[in-house]
Amino acid sequence: MTQIAITRTATPKQTPADETLAFGKVFSDHMFLMNYEDGKGWHNPRIEPYAPFTLDPATCVLHYGQAIFDGLKAFRGPDGQVRLFRVGDHARRLNKSAHYLCIPEMDPAMVEESIRALVEVDRRWVPSLPGTSLYIRPTVIATETFLGVHPSHSYLYYVIVGPVGAYYKEGMNPVSILASDQYVRAVKGGLGAAKTAGNYAASLYGAEEAQKAGYTQVLWLDGVEHKYLDEVGTMNIMLKIGDEVITPPLNGAILAGITRDSVLTLLRDWGLRVSERPISIDDVLAAAKAGTLEMWGTGTAAVISPVGELGYKGERYVINGGKTGALTQKLYDTIVGIQYGTAPDPHGWARLLGNRLGG
Ligand SMILES: *Cc1c(COP(=O)(O)O)cnc(C)c1O
Protein backbone atom coordinates (compact mmCIF):
# COMPACT_ATOMS: atom_id res chain seq x y z
CA MET A 1 0.00 0.00 0.00
CA THR A 2 1.28 3.45 -0.87
CA GLN A 3 2.62 5.45 2.05
CA ILE A 4 0.34 8.25 3.25
CA ALA A 5 2.18 11.60 3.24
CA ILE A 6 1.35 13.63 6.36
CA THR A 7 1.52 17.43 6.53
CA ARG A 8 0.53 18.69 9.96
CA THR A 9 -1.17 22.00 10.53
CA ALA A 10 0.95 24.83 11.91
CA THR A 11 -2.13 26.31 13.58
CA PRO A 12 -4.01 23.64 15.53
CA LYS A 13 -7.50 24.74 16.54
CA GLN A 14 -8.89 24.56 20.03
CA THR A 15 -11.25 21.62 20.45
CA PRO A 16 -14.73 22.58 21.70
CA ALA A 17 -15.92 21.53 25.16
CA ASP A 18 -17.63 18.11 24.97
CA GLU A 19 -20.79 19.55 26.58
CA THR A 20 -21.29 21.99 23.67
CA LEU A 21 -21.07 19.47 20.84
CA ALA A 22 -23.86 19.17 18.27
CA PHE A 23 -23.79 17.14 15.02
CA GLY A 24 -21.82 17.98 11.91
CA LYS A 25 -20.85 21.54 12.80
CA VAL A 26 -17.24 21.29 13.92
CA PHE A 27 -14.37 19.70 12.01
CA SER A 28 -10.89 18.74 13.09
CA ASP A 29 -7.45 20.03 12.09
CA HIS A 30 -6.76 17.65 9.20
CA MET A 31 -8.32 15.82 6.28
CA PHE A 32 -7.31 12.86 4.15
CA LEU A 33 -7.14 13.26 0.36
CA MET A 34 -6.46 10.93 -2.58
CA ASN A 35 -6.93 11.52 -6.31
CA TYR A 36 -7.96 9.35 -9.23
CA GLU A 37 -7.23 9.88 -12.87
CA ASP A 38 -7.81 7.51 -15.77
CA GLY A 39 -4.56 5.76 -16.59
CA LYS A 40 -3.05 6.62 -13.18
CA GLY A 41 -5.60 5.05 -10.87
CA TRP A 42 -5.95 6.17 -7.26
CA HIS A 43 -2.81 8.00 -6.21
CA ASN A 44 -1.23 10.55 -3.89
CA PRO A 45 -2.78 9.55 -0.54
CA ARG A 46 -2.09 12.33 1.93
CA ILE A 47 -3.19 13.99 5.12
CA GLU A 48 -3.19 17.78 5.06
CA PRO A 49 -4.50 20.65 7.18
CA TYR A 50 -8.29 20.93 6.91
CA ALA A 51 -9.03 23.58 4.26
CA PRO A 52 -11.58 24.55 1.58
CA PHE A 53 -11.34 23.17 -1.97
CA THR A 54 -11.21 25.20 -5.15
CA LEU A 55 -13.45 23.72 -7.85
CA ASP A 56 -14.09 24.90 -11.39
CA PRO A 57 -17.77 25.90 -11.73
CA ALA A 58 -18.12 23.27 -14.46
CA THR A 59 -16.90 20.44 -12.18
CA CYS A 60 -19.29 17.64 -13.04
CA VAL A 61 -20.24 16.63 -9.48
CA LEU A 62 -21.82 20.07 -9.02
CA HIS A 63 -24.17 19.44 -11.94
CA TYR A 64 -24.80 15.70 -12.15
CA GLY A 65 -24.32 14.53 -8.59
CA GLN A 66 -21.77 11.77 -9.12
CA ALA A 67 -20.92 11.65 -5.43
CA ILE A 68 -20.88 9.06 -2.66
CA PHE A 69 -20.11 9.06 1.03
CA ASP A 70 -20.21 6.97 4.14
CA GLY A 71 -20.56 7.74 7.84
CA LEU A 72 -19.02 6.01 10.82
CA LYS A 73 -17.72 6.85 14.27
CA ALA A 74 -14.77 6.55 16.62
CA PHE A 75 -15.48 6.32 20.35
CA ARG A 76 -13.33 7.06 23.38
CA GLY A 77 -14.15 4.61 26.12
CA PRO A 78 -13.91 5.17 29.87
CA ASP A 79 -10.59 3.29 29.59
CA GLY A 80 -9.27 6.16 27.42
CA GLN A 81 -8.90 3.89 24.35
CA VAL A 82 -10.23 4.98 20.97
CA ARG A 83 -12.26 2.45 18.99
CA LEU A 84 -13.41 2.57 15.36
CA PHE A 85 -16.74 0.77 14.95
CA ARG A 86 -16.96 -1.69 12.03
CA VAL A 87 -14.56 0.38 9.94
CA GLY A 88 -13.87 -2.49 7.51
CA ASP A 89 -17.59 -2.86 6.78
CA HIS A 90 -17.96 0.87 6.15
CA ALA A 91 -14.95 0.77 3.80
CA ARG A 92 -16.50 -2.11 1.85
CA ARG A 93 -19.80 -0.27 1.63
CA LEU A 94 -18.10 2.85 0.26
CA ASN A 95 -16.66 0.68 -2.48
CA LYS A 96 -20.13 -0.73 -3.20
CA SER A 97 -21.56 2.78 -3.45
CA ALA A 98 -18.70 3.60 -5.84
CA HIS A 99 -19.71 0.65 -8.00
CA TYR A 100 -23.35 1.85 -8.29
CA LEU A 101 -22.19 5.36 -9.28
CA CYS A 102 -19.63 4.21 -11.92
CA ILE A 103 -16.82 5.45 -9.68
CA PRO A 104 -13.59 3.41 -10.02
CA GLU A 105 -13.04 0.53 -7.59
CA MET A 106 -11.67 1.59 -4.21
CA ASP A 107 -9.58 -0.90 -2.26
CA PRO A 108 -11.42 -1.27 1.08
CA ALA A 109 -8.06 -1.84 2.83
CA MET A 110 -6.88 1.56 1.56
CA VAL A 111 -10.12 3.20 2.66
CA GLU A 112 -9.80 1.64 6.10
CA GLU A 113 -6.17 2.75 6.34
CA SER A 114 -7.06 6.32 5.32
CA ILE A 115 -9.62 6.50 8.12
CA ARG A 116 -7.35 4.93 10.71
CA ALA A 117 -4.47 7.23 9.80
CA LEU A 118 -6.59 10.39 9.92
CA VAL A 119 -8.18 9.51 13.25
CA GLU A 120 -4.71 8.84 14.66
CA VAL A 121 -3.45 12.23 13.52
CA ASP A 122 -6.57 13.93 14.95
CA ARG A 123 -6.90 11.65 17.95
CA ARG A 124 -7.17 14.56 20.37
CA TRP A 125 -10.46 15.45 18.61
CA VAL A 126 -12.16 12.28 19.85
CA PRO A 127 -14.31 13.58 22.73
CA SER A 128 -14.68 11.66 25.97
CA LEU A 129 -18.00 12.70 27.54
CA PRO A 130 -20.33 9.66 27.56
CA GLY A 131 -22.42 9.54 24.37
CA THR A 132 -20.07 11.76 22.37
CA SER A 133 -17.97 10.49 19.48
CA LEU A 134 -15.87 11.46 16.49
CA TYR A 135 -17.97 11.35 13.33
CA ILE A 136 -16.05 10.27 10.22
CA ARG A 137 -17.20 11.22 6.74
CA PRO A 138 -15.41 9.54 3.79
CA THR A 139 -16.57 11.13 0.52
CA VAL A 140 -15.88 10.73 -3.19
CA ILE A 141 -16.69 13.41 -5.75
CA ALA A 142 -16.34 13.44 -9.54
CA THR A 143 -13.93 16.23 -10.44
CA GLU A 144 -13.69 16.38 -14.22
CA THR A 145 -14.55 19.75 -15.72
CA PHE A 146 -17.25 19.33 -18.36
CA LEU A 147 -20.96 19.65 -19.01
CA GLY A 148 -22.56 16.47 -20.33
CA VAL A 149 -23.73 13.25 -18.76
CA HIS A 150 -21.08 10.53 -18.56
CA PRO A 151 -18.91 9.17 -15.77
CA SER A 152 -16.06 11.47 -14.82
CA HIS A 153 -12.47 10.59 -15.70
CA SER A 154 -11.12 12.02 -12.44
CA TYR A 155 -12.21 11.86 -8.78
CA LEU A 156 -11.29 13.10 -5.36
CA TYR A 157 -11.62 10.86 -2.33
CA TYR A 158 -11.45 12.74 0.96
CA VAL A 159 -12.18 12.10 4.60
CA ILE A 160 -13.17 14.70 7.18
CA VAL A 161 -13.86 14.11 10.87
CA GLY A 162 -15.48 16.11 13.65
CA PRO A 163 -16.58 15.61 17.25
CA VAL A 164 -20.32 15.16 17.75
CA GLY A 165 -22.51 15.36 20.84
CA ALA A 166 -24.56 12.65 22.49
CA TYR A 167 -27.62 11.86 20.36
CA TYR A 168 -29.68 11.21 23.48
CA LYS A 169 -28.80 13.73 26.15
CA GLU A 170 -31.72 12.82 28.42
CA GLY A 171 -32.28 9.15 27.66
CA MET A 172 -33.88 7.71 24.54
CA ASN A 173 -37.00 9.51 23.44
CA PRO A 174 -39.34 7.97 20.88
CA VAL A 175 -39.93 9.88 17.65
CA SER A 176 -43.09 10.38 15.62
CA ILE A 177 -42.98 9.37 11.97
CA LEU A 178 -45.26 9.96 9.01
CA ALA A 179 -45.74 7.20 6.45
CA SER A 180 -45.84 8.98 3.12
CA ASP A 181 -48.33 7.77 0.52
CA GLN A 182 -47.11 10.46 -1.88
CA TYR A 183 -43.35 10.85 -1.85
CA VAL A 184 -40.72 8.19 -2.40
CA ARG A 185 -36.99 8.17 -1.64
CA ALA A 186 -35.75 5.52 -4.07
CA VAL A 187 -37.07 2.62 -6.10
CA LYS A 188 -35.84 -0.85 -6.92
CA GLY A 189 -33.57 -0.49 -9.96
CA GLY A 190 -32.52 2.99 -8.81
CA LEU A 191 -29.80 4.08 -6.40
CA GLY A 192 -31.45 3.26 -3.08
CA ALA A 193 -28.70 0.84 -2.11
CA ALA A 194 -25.96 3.47 -2.57
CA LYS A 195 -25.06 6.24 -0.14
CA THR A 196 -25.17 8.88 -2.83
CA ALA A 197 -25.96 12.58 -2.68
CA GLY A 198 -29.03 12.40 -4.93
CA ASN A 199 -30.94 10.15 -2.52
CA TYR A 200 -30.78 12.85 0.16
CA ALA A 201 -31.84 15.53 -2.28
CA ALA A 202 -34.79 13.30 -3.18
CA SER A 203 -35.77 13.02 0.48
CA LEU A 204 -35.86 16.73 1.36
CA TYR A 205 -39.30 17.67 0.09
CA GLY A 206 -41.10 14.75 1.72
CA ALA A 207 -39.21 15.34 4.97
CA GLU A 208 -40.26 19.01 5.02
CA GLU A 209 -43.89 18.07 4.47
CA ALA A 210 -43.69 15.56 7.35
CA GLN A 211 -42.21 18.22 9.63
CA LYS A 212 -44.92 20.70 8.69
CA ALA A 213 -47.45 18.04 9.70
CA GLY A 214 -45.74 17.72 13.10
CA TYR A 215 -43.64 14.60 12.57
CA THR A 216 -39.91 14.12 13.05
CA GLN A 217 -39.20 11.75 10.16
CA VAL A 218 -40.72 10.20 7.07
CA LEU A 219 -41.46 6.49 6.92
CA TRP A 220 -40.68 5.80 3.27
CA LEU A 221 -42.89 3.27 1.57
CA ASP A 222 -41.88 1.39 -1.55
CA GLY A 223 -41.83 3.38 -4.75
CA VAL A 224 -44.07 1.05 -6.78
CA GLU A 225 -47.12 0.24 -4.65
CA HIS A 226 -46.65 2.70 -1.75
CA LYS A 227 -47.51 -0.25 0.44
CA TYR A 228 -44.36 -1.85 1.87
CA LEU A 229 -41.97 -0.24 4.36
CA ASP A 230 -38.58 0.81 2.98
CA GLU A 231 -36.73 3.04 5.47
CA VAL A 232 -37.34 5.77 8.04
CA GLY A 233 -35.62 9.12 7.44
CA THR A 234 -32.01 8.07 6.82
CA MET A 235 -32.30 4.95 8.95
CA ASN A 236 -33.31 1.36 8.36
CA ILE A 237 -36.63 0.39 9.90
CA MET A 238 -37.33 -2.61 12.13
CA LEU A 239 -40.27 -3.80 14.09
CA LYS A 240 -41.29 -6.51 16.46
CA ILE A 241 -44.77 -7.98 16.20
CA GLY A 242 -45.41 -10.59 18.85
CA ASP A 243 -42.24 -12.69 18.91
CA GLU A 244 -41.06 -11.95 15.35
CA VAL A 245 -38.60 -9.18 14.49
CA ILE A 246 -39.12 -7.99 10.93
CA THR A 247 -37.08 -5.72 8.68
CA PRO A 248 -37.41 -5.08 4.95
CA PRO A 249 -35.07 -7.17 2.76
CA LEU A 250 -32.09 -5.66 0.92
CA ASN A 251 -33.97 -5.44 -2.37
CA GLY A 252 -31.97 -2.66 -4.01
CA ALA A 253 -34.27 0.16 -2.86
CA ILE A 254 -32.83 0.45 0.64
CA LEU A 255 -29.39 0.95 2.11
CA ALA A 256 -27.58 -2.01 3.68
CA GLY A 257 -27.09 -0.33 7.05
CA ILE A 258 -24.20 -1.51 9.17
CA THR A 259 -26.31 -0.87 12.30
CA ARG A 260 -29.07 -2.94 10.69
CA ASP A 261 -26.57 -5.76 10.34
CA SER A 262 -25.30 -5.32 13.92
CA VAL A 263 -28.86 -5.52 15.24
CA LEU A 264 -29.79 -8.57 13.15
CA THR A 265 -26.59 -10.31 14.27
CA LEU A 266 -27.32 -9.61 17.95
CA LEU A 267 -30.94 -10.71 17.65
CA ARG A 268 -29.85 -14.01 16.08
CA ASP A 269 -27.18 -14.42 18.80
CA TRP A 270 -29.97 -14.03 21.35
CA GLY A 271 -32.06 -16.70 19.62
CA LEU A 272 -34.86 -14.41 18.49
CA ARG A 273 -36.96 -15.06 15.40
CA VAL A 274 -35.75 -12.62 12.74
CA SER A 275 -37.26 -12.15 9.28
CA GLU A 276 -35.94 -10.05 6.44
CA ARG A 277 -39.14 -9.81 4.44
CA PRO A 278 -41.51 -7.24 2.99
CA ILE A 279 -43.88 -5.78 5.60
CA SER A 280 -46.92 -3.79 4.59
CA ILE A 281 -48.13 -0.60 6.23
CA ASP A 282 -51.50 -2.31 6.82
CA ASP A 283 -49.84 -5.05 8.89
CA VAL A 284 -47.99 -2.38 10.88
CA LEU A 285 -51.19 -0.43 11.58
CA ALA A 286 -53.00 -3.60 12.63
CA ALA A 287 -50.21 -4.46 15.09
CA ALA A 288 -50.16 -0.88 16.40
CA LYS A 289 -53.92 -1.03 17.07
CA ALA A 290 -53.59 -4.47 18.69
CA GLY A 291 -50.83 -3.13 20.95
CA THR A 292 -48.37 -5.84 19.88
CA LEU A 293 -45.97 -3.54 18.02
CA GLU A 294 -42.48 -2.30 18.90
CA MET A 295 -40.74 -0.24 16.21
CA TRP A 296 -37.33 1.41 15.84
CA GLY A 297 -34.94 2.85 13.31
CA THR A 298 -31.25 1.90 13.05
CA GLY A 299 -28.35 4.06 11.90
CA THR A 300 -24.90 5.23 12.91
CA ALA A 301 -26.02 8.66 14.16
CA ALA A 302 -28.60 7.50 16.72
CA VAL A 303 -27.70 3.76 16.82
CA ILE A 304 -31.34 2.96 17.67
CA SER A 305 -34.24 5.39 17.44
CA PRO A 306 -37.50 4.20 19.03
CA VAL A 307 -40.72 5.08 17.22
CA GLY A 308 -43.54 6.20 19.52
CA GLU A 309 -46.08 7.43 17.03
CA LEU A 310 -46.98 6.72 13.41
CA GLY A 311 -49.07 8.88 11.10
CA TYR A 312 -50.77 7.58 7.97
CA LYS A 313 -53.51 9.07 5.78
CA GLY A 314 -54.51 11.67 8.36
CA GLU A 315 -54.61 9.29 11.37
CA ARG A 316 -52.13 9.10 14.26
CA TYR A 317 -51.32 5.74 15.85
CA VAL A 318 -49.52 5.43 19.19
CA ILE A 319 -46.93 2.64 19.28
CA ASN A 320 -46.01 0.76 22.44
CA GLY A 321 -47.74 3.41 24.55
CA GLY A 322 -45.37 6.01 23.09
CA LYS A 323 -42.53 4.46 25.12
CA THR A 324 -39.20 2.87 24.30
CA GLY A 325 -39.67 -0.90 24.14
CA ALA A 326 -37.59 -3.33 26.21
CA LEU A 327 -35.92 -4.93 23.16
CA THR A 328 -35.22 -1.50 21.64
CA GLN A 329 -33.46 -0.44 24.84
CA LYS A 330 -31.49 -3.69 25.13
CA LEU A 331 -30.22 -3.39 21.54
CA TYR A 332 -29.14 0.19 22.14
CA ASP A 333 -27.36 -0.62 25.40
CA THR A 334 -25.56 -3.60 23.89
CA ILE A 335 -24.27 -1.81 20.79
CA VAL A 336 -23.23 1.28 22.74
CA GLY A 337 -21.42 -0.99 25.23
CA ILE A 338 -19.41 -2.52 22.39
CA GLN A 339 -18.65 0.89 20.90
CA TYR A 340 -17.25 2.28 24.17
CA GLY A 341 -15.50 -0.94 25.16
CA THR A 342 -17.65 -1.58 28.23
CA ALA A 343 -19.32 -4.74 26.89
CA PRO A 344 -17.89 -7.91 25.29
CA ASP A 345 -17.35 -7.67 21.52
CA PRO A 346 -17.78 -11.27 20.33
CA HIS A 347 -17.85 -10.31 16.62
CA GLY A 348 -14.76 -8.09 16.73
CA TRP A 349 -16.61 -4.96 15.59
CA ALA A 350 -14.47 -2.44 17.47
CA ARG A 351 -10.98 -1.74 16.14
CA LEU A 352 -8.63 -0.25 18.72
CA LEU A 353 -6.49 2.64 17.59
CA GLY A 354 -2.77 2.41 18.39
CA ASN A 355 -1.45 4.49 21.26
CA ARG A 356 1.48 5.99 19.40
CA LEU A 357 0.39 9.59 19.13
CA GLY A 358 -1.06 10.18 22.58
CA GLY A 359 -3.92 12.59 23.19
C1 LIG B 1 -26.55 5.71 6.31
C2 LIG B 1 -27.95 5.26 6.09
C3 LIG B 1 -28.55 4.25 6.86
C4 LIG B 1 -27.92 3.66 8.07
O1 LIG B 1 -26.72 2.99 7.80
P1 LIG B 1 -25.71 2.72 8.98
O2 LIG B 1 -24.61 1.99 8.30
O3 LIG B 1 -26.41 1.88 9.98
O4 LIG B 1 -25.31 4.04 9.51
C5 LIG B 1 -29.81 3.82 6.49
N1 LIG B 1 -30.47 4.37 5.46
C6 LIG B 1 -29.93 5.35 4.72
C7 LIG B 1 -30.71 5.90 3.59
C8 LIG B 1 -28.67 5.83 5.02
O5 LIG B 1 -28.15 6.82 4.30
Side-chain angles (χ1 to χ4, degrees), residues 90 93 185 195 200 231 234-236 255 257-259 299-300:
H90 284 277
R93 187 171 67 190
R185 188 194 81 94
K195 247 177 145 66
Y200 305 87
E231 299 203 56
T234 58
M235 292 182 286
N236 293 110
L255 194 85
I258 310 286
T259 318
T300 293

Side-chain angles (χ1 to χ4, degrees), residues 68 96-97 100-101 185 191-196 199-200 252 254-255:
I68 55 166
K96 277 195 188 133
S97 295
Y100 291 122
L101 270 288
R185 188 194 81 94
L191 289 176
K195 247 177 145 66
T196 182
N199 286 340
Y200 305 87
I254 69 171
L255 194 85

Side-chain angles (χ1 to χ4, degrees), residues 256-318:
I258 310 286
T259 318
R260 175 187 182 278
D261 183 76
S262 302
V263 167
L264 294 180
T265 302
L266 289 173
L267 292 171
R268 286 173 178 137
D269 286 354
W270 298 339
L272 275 95
R273 205 169 125 226
V274 179
S275 307
E276 294 174 65
R277 64 169 175 88
I279 171 97
S280 72
I281 185 72
D282 293 333
D283 289 348
V284 175
L285 297 179
K289 282 184 208 153
T292 55
L293 178 65
E294 197 174 319
M295 194 169 182
W296 64 91
T298 69
T300 293
V303 184
I304 304 285
S305 181
V307 176
E309 195 184 11
L310 171 63
Y312 183 61
K313 291 193 196 280
E315 300 283 332
R316 294 181 97 106
Y317 303 83
V318 173

Side-chain angles (χ1 to χ4, degrees), residues 84-320:
L84 287 165
F85 189 68
R86 302 198 67 172
V87 57
D89 296 294
H90 284 277
R92 278 186 284 280
R93 187 171 67 190
L94 186 74
N95 186 42
K96 277 195 188 133
S97 295
H99 178 78
Y100 291 122
L101 270 288
C102 299
I103 292 169
E105 175 95 21
M106 308 187 68
D107 176 7
M110 182 65 222
V111 171
E112 179 168 349
E113 179 56 15
S114 67
I115 292 167
R116 189 205 58 76
L118 180 61
V119 176
E120 273 200 1
V121 167
D122 276 338
R123 187 187 180 101
R124 71 184 184 96
W125 286 85
V126 185
S128 51
L129 192 71
T132 63
S133 57
L134 186 79
Y135 185 74
I136 303 163
R137 171 52 62 89
T139 309
V140 182
I141 57 172
T143 52
E144 194 179 343
T145 301
F146 70 91
L147 296 183
V149 179
H150 64 75
S152 178
H153 297 293
S154 63
Y155 298 87
L156 175 67
Y157 165 56
Y158 65 92
V159 187
I160 54 175
V161 302
V164 299
Y167 195 90
Y168 298 111
K169 290 196 170 76
E170 287 132 24
M172 286 177 110
N173 48 337
V175 294
S176 62
I177 63 174
L178 176 65
S180 179
D181 54 355
Q182 255 192 307
Y183 308 109
V184 299
R185 188 194 81 94
V187 289
K188 216 183 278 190
L191 289 176
K195 247 177 145 66
T196 182
N199 286 340
Y200 305 87
S203 75
L204 296 176
Y205 196 91
E208 291 259 296
E209 293 290 297
Q211 275 157 25
K212 274 185 215 153
Y215 294 89
T216 315
Q217 306 265 7
V218 182
L219 178 63
W220 301 105
L221 301 181
D222 78 276
V224 179
E225 296 180 70
H226 297 239
K227 180 177 169 190
Y228 296 100
L229 276 57
D230 264 359
E231 299 203 56
V232 59
T234 58
M235 292 182 286
N236 293 110
I237 185 76
M238 284 193 194
L239 37 101
K240 179 169 169 277
I241 300 179
D243 69 353
E244 183 188 20
V245 177
I246 310 161
T247 197
L250 301 177
N251 61 3
I254 69 171
L255 194 85
I258 310 286
T259 318
R260 175 187 182 278
D261 183 76
S262 302
V263 167
L264 294 180
T265 302
L266 289 173
L267 292 171
R268 286 173 178 137
D269 286 354
W270 298 339
L272 275 95
R273 205 169 125 226
V274 179
S275 307
E276 294 174 65
R277 64 169 175 88
I279 171 97
S280 72
I281 185 72
D282 293 333
D283 289 348
V284 175
L285 297 179
K289 282 184 208 153
T292 55
L293 178 65
E294 197 174 319
M295 194 169 182
W296 64 91
T298 69
T300 293
V303 184
I304 304 285
S305 181
V307 176
E309 195 184 11
L310 171 63
Y312 183 61
K313 291 193 196 280
E315 300 283 332
R316 294 181 97 106
Y317 303 83
V318 173
I319 296 171
N320 198 47

